[in-house]
Amino acid sequence: MAHSEHLTAPVDTVVFRMRALDAALPERDGIAVFNRVYLSVTEEVERRLDAGRFGDPRAAATLDVRFAERYLAAVDAAADDRRPPACWRPLFQFRRHPGVRPLQFALAGINAHIGHDLALAVVDSCRTLGCEPADLEDEFDRVGELLVSLEERIREDLMPGPDLLQIADPLTHLLGSWSLERARDATWSAARALWALRRFGDLAEEFTERLDAAVGLAGRMLLTPLRG
């Protein structure tokens, strides 16, 4: 097995899971909408790993997989009638609501995954690799750049037509209230704080719970039904 194949094997596993979800879920389901978005990001990471585009491919693959595993764990929890993390609950609760637009589902999933899961995935990866968050900053930034470019594409693909998107449209206000760039910056700070708190169990747990709840609240606002 070639070195790049060895590194992308765990990424293959999460891509397989996401493709299975894509095949199984109704197209309009809110989880399906986010899953399609996230699958395209993960496939792009896999392509870039194969092409040697990451400075530290082992770190990039580890971060990508630890990140994806948190989303897939939330999916599994909901499927087993267990409570997923608070950041994911609004998306699972509203996934079939006819008044929520596809763009809202996509952004609510990105909010949960970036705002909460990515910070914890950085800490998970540091433990796996025996490194500090600073050692993962380049890989974090490269994955973040991918997500920003993808968010731009999502907005183009899932935006209503110009005739629907008037200045008074509630979706215009919702989209203006959330920024992936700001969420990503906040996540890096949260990851560093969690790493610094790792030996203080109660404090680390409280910080994680508050982060989870705050991200969940933002997700609930992003999923405000706009019709029906």
Side-chain angles (χ1 to χ4, degrees), residues 28-30 93-102 104-105 223-228:
R28 183 66 177 70
D29 181 283
Q93 288 165 356
F94 284 81
R95 63 192 290 181
R96 297 180 184 90
H97 197 296
V100 179
R101 300 180 188 179
Q104 292 174 264
F105 288 134
L223 291 169
T224 301
L226 300 179
R227 61 170 185 260

Side-chain angles (χ1 to χ4, degrees), residues 1 5-21 35 38-39 42-43 46 49 61 64-66 68-69 71-72 76:
M1 182 181 281
E5 290 174 347
H6 174 68
L7 287 169
T8 55
V11 182
D12 282 342
T13 303
V14 295
V15 166
F16 178 82
R17 283 284 320 273
M18 288 183 216
R19 285 177 179 158
L21 282 169
N35 189 77
Y38 191 31
L39 174 58
T42 309
E43 288 172 335
E46 189 174 36
L49 280 166
D64 185 64
V65 171
R66 293 288 174 268
E69 284 172 346
Y71 157 62
L72 293 170
D76 289 342

